[in-house]
Coordinates of all heavy atoms in Angstrom, one line a residue:
M24 N 103.7 157.3 59.5 CA 103.7 158.2 58.3 C 102.2 158.5 58.0 O 101.4 157.7 58.0 CB 104.3 157.5 57.1 CG 104.2 158.2 55.8 SD 104.9 157.4 54.4 CE 106.3 156.6 55.0
K25 N 101.9 159.8 57.9 CA 100.6 160.3 57.6 C 100.2 159.9 56.2 O 101.0 159.9 55.3 CB 100.6 161.8 57.7 CG 99.3 162.5 57.7 CD 99.6 164.0 58.0 CE 98.4 164.8 58.0 NZ 98.7 166.2 58.2
S26 N 98.9 159.4 56.0 CA 98.4 159.0 54.7 C 97.0 159.3 54.6 O 96.2 159.1 55.5 CB 98.7 157.5 54.5 OG 98.0 157.0 53.3
P27 N 96.5 159.7 53.4 CA 95.1 160.0 53.2 C 94.3 158.7 52.8 O 93.1 158.8 52.6 CB 95.1 160.9 52.0 CG 96.3 160.6 51.2 CD 97.3 160.1 52.3
C28 N 94.9 157.6 52.8 CA 94.2 156.3 52.4 C 93.1 156.0 53.3 O 93.3 156.0 54.6 CB 95.2 155.2 52.3 SG 94.5 153.6 51.8
I29 N 91.9 155.7 52.8 CA 90.8 155.3 53.6 C 90.3 153.9 53.2 O 89.2 153.5 53.5 CB 89.6 156.3 53.5 CG1 89.1 156.4 52.0 CG2 90.0 157.7 54.0 CD1 87.8 157.2 51.9
K30 N 91.2 153.2 52.5 CA 91.0 151.8 52.1 C 89.7 151.6 51.2 O 89.0 150.6 51.3 CB 90.9 150.9 53.3 CG 92.2 151.0 54.1 CD 92.4 149.9 55.1 CE 93.6 150.0 56.0 NZ 94.7 150.8 55.6
V31 N 89.5 152.6 50.4 CA 88.5 152.6 49.3 C 89.2 152.8 48.0 O 89.3 153.9 47.5 CB 87.4 153.7 49.5 CG1 86.4 153.6 48.3 CG2 86.7 153.5 50.8
C32 N 89.9 151.7 47.6 CA 90.8 151.8 46.5 C 90.1 151.5 45.2 O 90.0 150.4 44.8 CB 92.0 150.9 46.7 SG 92.8 151.2 48.3
Q33 N 89.7 152.6 44.5 CA 89.1 152.4 43.2 C 89.5 153.7 42.4 O 89.2 154.8 42.7 CB 87.6 152.4 43.4 CG 86.9 152.1 42.1 CD 85.3 152.0 42.3 OE1 84.9 151.9 43.4 NE2 84.6 151.9 41.2
M34 N 90.0 153.4 41.2 CA 90.5 154.5 40.3 C 89.3 155.0 39.5 O 88.5 154.3 39.0 CB 91.6 154.0 39.4 CG 92.9 153.6 40.1 SD 93.5 154.9 41.1 CE 94.1 156.1 39.9
D35 N 89.3 156.3 39.5 CA 88.3 157.1 38.6 C 89.0 157.3 37.3 O 89.9 158.1 37.2 CB 87.9 158.4 39.3 CG 87.1 159.2 38.4 OD1 86.5 158.7 37.4 OD2 87.0 160.5 38.6
P36 N 88.6 156.6 36.2 CA 89.3 156.8 34.9 C 89.2 158.2 34.3 O 90.1 158.6 33.6 CB 88.7 155.7 34.0 CG 87.4 155.3 34.7 CD 87.6 155.6 36.1
A37 N 88.1 158.9 34.6 CA 87.9 160.2 34.1 C 88.9 161.2 34.7 O 89.3 162.1 34.0 CB 86.5 160.7 34.4
R38 N 89.3 161.0 35.9 CA 90.2 161.9 36.6 C 91.6 161.4 36.8 O 92.5 162.1 37.2 CB 89.6 162.3 38.0 CG 88.3 163.0 37.9 CD 88.4 164.4 37.5 NE 87.1 165.1 37.8 CZ 86.4 165.7 36.9 NH1 86.9 165.9 35.7 NH2 85.3 166.3 37.2
G39 N 91.7 160.1 36.7 CA 93.0 159.4 36.9 C 93.5 159.4 38.3 O 94.7 159.6 38.6
M40 N 92.5 159.3 39.3 CA 92.9 159.3 40.7 C 91.9 158.4 41.4 O 90.9 158.0 40.9 CB 92.8 160.7 41.3 CG 91.4 161.3 41.4 SD 91.4 162.9 42.1 CE 91.6 163.9 40.7
C41 N 92.4 158.0 42.6 CA 91.6 157.1 43.4 C 90.4 157.8 44.0 O 90.6 159.0 44.5 CB 92.5 156.6 44.6 SG 91.6 155.6 45.8
I42 N 89.2 157.2 44.0 CA 88.1 157.9 44.5 C 88.1 157.9 46.1 O 87.3 158.7 46.7 CB 86.7 157.4 44.0 CG1 86.5 156.0 44.4 CG2 86.6 157.6 42.5 CD1 85.1 155.5 44.1
G43 N 88.9 157.1 46.7 CA 89.0 157.0 48.1 C 89.8 158.1 48.7 O 89.4 158.9 49.5
C44 N 91.1 158.2 48.2 CA 92.1 159.1 48.8 C 92.4 160.3 47.9 O 93.0 161.2 48.3 CB 93.3 158.4 49.1 SG 94.3 157.8 47.7
C45 N 91.9 160.2 46.6 CA 92.1 161.3 45.6 C 93.6 161.5 45.2 O 94.0 162.6 44.8 CB 91.5 162.6 46.1 SG 89.8 162.6 46.3
R46 N 94.4 160.5 45.4 CA 95.7 160.5 44.9 C 95.8 159.8 43.5 O 95.0 158.9 43.2 CB 96.7 159.8 45.8 CG 96.9 160.5 47.1 CD 97.8 159.8 48.1 NE 97.2 158.5 48.5 CZ 97.9 157.6 49.1 NH1 99.2 157.7 49.4 NH2 97.3 156.5 49.5
T47 N 96.8 160.2 42.7 CA 97.1 159.5 41.5 C 97.8 158.2 41.7 O 98.4 158.0 42.8 CB 97.9 160.4 40.5 OG1 99.2 160.5 41.1 CG2 97.3 161.8 40.3
L48 N 97.9 157.4 40.7 CA 98.6 156.1 40.9 C 100.1 156.4 41.2 O 100.7 155.7 42.0 CB 98.5 155.2 39.6 CG 97.2 154.4 39.5 CD1 97.2 153.7 38.2 CD2 97.1 153.4 40.6
D49 N 100.7 157.4 40.5 CA 102.1 157.7 40.8 C 102.3 158.2 42.2 O 103.2 157.8 42.9 CB 102.5 158.8 39.8 CG 102.7 158.3 38.4 OD1 102.9 157.1 38.2 OD2 102.8 159.2 37.5
E50 N 101.3 159.0 42.7 CA 101.5 159.4 44.1 C 101.3 158.3 45.1 O 102.0 158.2 46.1 CB 100.4 160.5 44.4 CG 100.7 161.8 43.7 CD 99.5 162.8 43.7 OE1 98.4 162.4 44.0 OE2 99.8 164.0 43.4
I51 N 100.4 157.4 44.8 CA 100.2 156.2 45.7 C 101.4 155.4 45.7 O 101.9 155.0 46.8 CB 99.0 155.4 45.3 CG1 97.7 156.2 45.5 CG2 98.9 154.1 46.0 CD1 96.4 155.7 44.8
A52 N 102.0 155.1 44.5 CA 103.1 154.2 44.4 C 104.4 154.8 45.1 O 105.2 154.1 45.6 CB 103.4 153.9 42.9
S53 N 104.5 156.1 45.0 CA 105.8 156.7 45.5 C 105.6 157.3 46.9 O 106.5 157.9 47.4 CB 106.3 157.8 44.6 OG 105.3 158.8 44.4
W54 N 104.4 157.1 47.5 CA 104.1 157.8 48.8 C 105.2 157.6 49.9 O 105.6 158.5 50.5 CB 102.7 157.3 49.3 CG 102.2 158.1 50.5 CD1 102.2 157.7 51.8 CD2 101.7 159.4 50.4 NE1 101.7 158.7 52.6 CE2 101.3 159.8 51.7 CE3 101.5 160.3 49.4 CZ2 100.8 161.0 52.1 CZ3 100.9 161.6 49.7 CH2 100.6 161.9 51.1
S55 N 105.6 156.3 50.1 CA 106.6 156.0 51.1 C 108.0 156.6 50.8 O 108.7 156.8 51.7 CB 106.6 154.5 51.4 OG 107.1 153.8 50.2
A56 N 108.3 156.8 49.6 CA 109.6 157.4 49.2 C 109.6 158.9 49.1 O 110.6 159.5 49.0 CB 110.0 156.9 47.8
M57 N 108.4 159.5 49.2 CA 108.3 161.0 49.2 C 108.9 161.6 50.5 O 108.8 161.0 51.5 CB 106.8 161.5 49.0 CG 106.2 161.2 47.7 SD 104.5 161.9 47.8 CE 104.0 161.6 46.1
T58 N 109.3 162.8 50.3 CA 109.7 163.6 51.5 C 108.5 164.1 52.2 O 107.4 164.1 51.6 CB 110.6 164.8 51.1 OG1 109.8 165.7 50.3 CG2 111.8 164.4 50.3
D59 N 108.6 164.5 53.4 CA 107.5 165.1 54.2 C 106.9 166.3 53.4 O 105.7 166.4 53.4 CB 107.9 165.5 55.6 CG 108.2 164.4 56.5 OD1 107.8 163.2 56.2 OD2 108.9 164.6 57.5
F60 N 107.8 167.1 52.8 CA 107.3 168.3 52.1 C 106.5 167.8 50.9 O 105.4 168.4 50.6 CB 108.5 169.1 51.6 CG 108.1 170.3 50.7 CD1 107.6 171.4 51.3 CD2 108.2 170.2 49.4 CE1 107.2 172.5 50.5 CE2 107.8 171.2 48.6 CZ 107.3 172.4 49.1
E61 N 106.9 166.8 50.2 CA 106.2 166.3 49.0 C 104.8 165.8 49.4 O 103.8 166.0 48.8 CB 107.0 165.2 48.2 CG 108.2 165.8 47.5 CD 109.1 164.7 47.0 OE1 109.3 163.7 47.7 OE2 109.7 164.9 45.9
R62 N 104.8 165.0 50.5 CA 103.5 164.4 51.0 C 102.6 165.6 51.4 O 101.4 165.5 51.1 CB 103.8 163.5 52.1 CG 104.3 162.1 51.7 CD 104.2 161.1 52.7 NE 105.1 161.4 53.8 CZ 106.4 160.9 53.9 NH1 106.9 160.2 52.9 NH2 107.1 161.2 54.9
E63 N 103.1 166.6 52.1 CA 102.2 167.7 52.5 C 101.7 168.4 51.3 O 100.5 168.9 51.4 CB 103.0 168.7 53.4 CG 103.3 168.1 54.8 CD 102.0 167.9 55.6 OE1 101.0 168.7 55.5 OE2 101.9 166.9 56.3
R64 N 102.5 168.6 50.3 CA 102.0 169.2 49.1 C 100.8 168.4 48.5 O 99.8 169.0 48.1 CB 103.1 169.3 48.0 CG 102.8 170.2 46.9 CD 103.8 170.1 45.8 NE 103.8 168.7 45.3 CZ 104.8 168.1 44.7 NH1 105.9 168.7 44.5 NH2 104.6 166.9 44.3
V65 N 100.9 167.1 48.4 CA 99.8 166.3 47.9 C 98.6 166.4 48.8 O 97.5 166.6 48.4 CB 100.2 164.8 47.8 CG1 99.0 163.9 47.4 CG2 101.3 164.7 46.7
L66 N 98.8 166.3 50.1 CA 97.7 166.4 51.1 C 97.0 167.8 51.0 O 95.8 167.8 51.1 CB 98.2 166.3 52.5 CG 98.7 164.8 52.9 CD1 99.4 164.9 54.2 CD2 97.5 163.9 52.9
D67 N 97.7 168.8 50.7 CA 97.1 170.2 50.6 C 96.3 170.2 49.3 O 95.3 171.0 49.3 CB 98.2 171.2 50.5 CG 98.9 171.5 51.8 OD1 98.4 171.0 52.9 OD2 100.0 172.1 51.8
A68 N 96.6 169.4 48.3 CA 95.8 169.5 47.0 C 94.5 168.6 47.1 O 93.6 168.7 46.3 CB 96.7 169.0 45.9
L69 N 94.4 167.8 48.1 CA 93.3 166.8 48.2 C 91.9 167.4 48.3 O 90.9 166.9 47.6 CB 93.5 165.8 49.3 CG 94.7 164.9 49.1 CD1 94.8 163.9 50.2 CD2 94.8 164.2 47.7
P70 N 91.7 168.5 49.1 CA 90.3 169.0 49.2 C 89.8 169.5 47.8 O 88.6 169.2 47.5 CB 90.5 170.2 50.1 CG 91.6 169.8 51.0 CD 92.6 169.1 50.0
E71 N 90.6 170.1 47.0 CA 90.2 170.6 45.7 C 89.9 169.4 44.8 O 89.0 169.3 44.0 CB 91.2 171.5 45.0 CG 90.8 172.0 43.7 CD 91.8 173.0 43.2 OE1 92.6 173.6 43.9 OE2 91.8 173.2 41.9
R72 N 90.7 168.3 44.9 CA 90.5 167.1 44.1 C 89.2 166.4 44.5 O 88.5 166.0 43.6 CB 91.7 166.1 44.3 CG 93.0 166.6 43.7 CD 94.0 165.6 43.9 NE 95.4 166.1 43.5 CZ 96.4 165.3 43.6 NH1 96.4 164.1 44.0 NH2 97.6 165.8 43.2
R73 N 88.9 166.4 45.8 CA 87.6 165.8 46.2 C 86.5 166.5 45.7 O 85.5 165.9 45.2 CB 87.6 165.8 47.8 CG 88.3 164.6 48.4 CD 88.1 164.5 49.9 NE 89.1 163.6 50.4 CZ 90.2 163.9 50.9 NH1 90.5 165.2 51.0 NH2 91.1 163.1 51.4
A74 N 86.6 167.8 45.6 CA 85.5 168.7 45.1 C 85.3 168.4 43.6 O 84.2 168.3 43.1 CB 85.8 170.1 45.3
S75 N 86.4 168.1 42.9 CA 86.3 167.8 41.5 C 85.6 166.5 41.2 O 85.0 166.3 40.2 CB 87.6 167.9 40.8 OG 88.4 166.8 41.0
L76 N 85.8 165.5 42.1 CA 85.2 164.2 42.0 C 83.7 164.3 42.1 O 83.0 163.6 41.4 CB 85.8 163.2 43.0 CG 87.1 162.7 42.8 CD1 87.6 161.8 43.9 CD2 87.2 161.9 41.5
V77 N 83.2 165.2 42.9 CA 81.8 165.4 43.1 C 81.1 165.9 41.8 O 80.0 165.6 41.5 CB 81.5 166.3 44.3 CG1 80.0 166.7 44.4 CG2 82.0 165.7 45.6
N78 N 81.9 166.6 41.0 CA 81.4 167.3 39.8 C 81.6 166.5 38.5 O 81.6 167.1 37.5 CB 81.9 168.7 39.7 CG 81.5 169.6 40.9 OD1 80.4 169.5 41.3 ND2 82.5 170.3 41.4
I79 N 81.7 165.2 38.6 CA 81.9 164.4 37.4 C 80.5 164.3 36.7 O 79.6 163.7 37.3 CB 82.5 163.0 37.7 CG1 83.8 163.1 38.3 CG2 82.5 162.1 36.4 CD1 84.4 161.8 38.8
P80 N 80.4 164.7 35.4 CA 79.2 164.5 34.7 C 78.9 163.0 34.5 O 79.8 162.2 34.2 CB 79.4 165.2 33.4 CG 80.7 165.9 33.5 CD 81.4 165.4 34.7
S81 N 77.7 162.6 34.6 CA 77.3 161.2 34.5 C 77.1 160.8 33.0 O 77.1 159.6 32.7 CB 76.1 160.9 35.3 OG 75.0 161.7 34.9
T82 N 76.9 161.8 32.1 CA 76.7 161.5 30.7 C 77.4 162.5 29.9 O 77.7 163.6 30.4 CB 75.2 161.5 30.4 OG1 74.7 162.9 30.5 CG2 74.3 160.6 31.2
P83 N 77.7 162.2 28.6 CA 78.3 163.2 27.8 C 77.5 164.4 27.6 O 78.0 165.5 27.5 CB 78.5 162.4 26.4 CG 78.5 161.0 26.8 CD 77.6 160.9 28.0
E84 N 76.2 164.2 27.6 CA 75.3 165.4 27.4 C 75.4 166.4 28.6 O 75.4 167.6 28.5 CB 73.8 164.9 27.3 CG 73.5 164.1 26.1 CD 73.9 162.7 26.2 OE1 74.1 162.1 27.3 OE2 74.2 162.0 25.1
A85 N 75.5 165.8 29.8 CA 75.7 166.6 31.0 C 77.0 167.4 31.0 O 77.1 168.5 31.4 CB 75.6 165.8 32.3
A86 N 78.0 166.7 30.4 CA 79.3 167.4 30.3 C 79.3 168.6 29.4 O 80.1 169.5 29.6 CB 80.4 166.4 29.9
A87 N 78.4 168.6 28.4 CA 78.4 169.6 27.4 C 77.6 170.9 28.0 O 77.7 171.9 27.4 CB 77.7 169.1 26.2
R88 N 76.9 170.7 29.0 CA 76.2 171.8 29.6 C 77.0 172.9 30.2 O 78.0 172.8 30.8 CB 75.2 171.3 30.6 CG 74.0 170.6 30.0 CD 73.0 170.3 31.0 NE 72.6 168.9 30.8 CZ 72.0 168.1 31.6 NH1 71.6 168.6 32.7 NH2 71.6 166.9 31.2

């Protein structure tokens, strides 16, 4: 079964997703029960999610800019 897990399991509380694989806790927990179509849908969303992780403001002041 194809998986985006890279064994860097750490949740980003600001985004609610793992910084390693960019999946949500719900997606991680249900991964093995998902259909191939559902997994592909999640995999297709990961590049955009990775890009959003890069743009996390480090301070509230930076977020306001």
Side-chain angles (χ1 to χ4, degrees):
M24 176 183 319
K25 193 173 175 182
S26 172
C28 181
I29 60 169
K30 302 198 186 331
V31 177
C32 305
Q33 184 177 353
M34 293 306 290
D35 171 18
R38 302 281 195 234
M40 70 179 88
C41 174
I42 63 168
C44 68
C45 296
R46 291 179 293 170
T47 66
L48 279 176
D49 287 341
E50 290 167 343
I51 293 166
S53 61
W54 191 255
S55 62
M57 287 181 176
T58 65
D59 288 341
F60 177 78
E61 290 169 323
R62 283 192 294 270
E63 285 299 323
R64 190 189 66 204
V65 173
L66 290 169
D67 289 345
L69 298 183
E71 185 175 334
R72 292 181 187 182
R73 280 189 191 93
S75 76
L76 283 176
V77 172
N78 296 318
I79 297 173
S81 57
T82 65
E84 294 81 21
R88 288 184 223 167

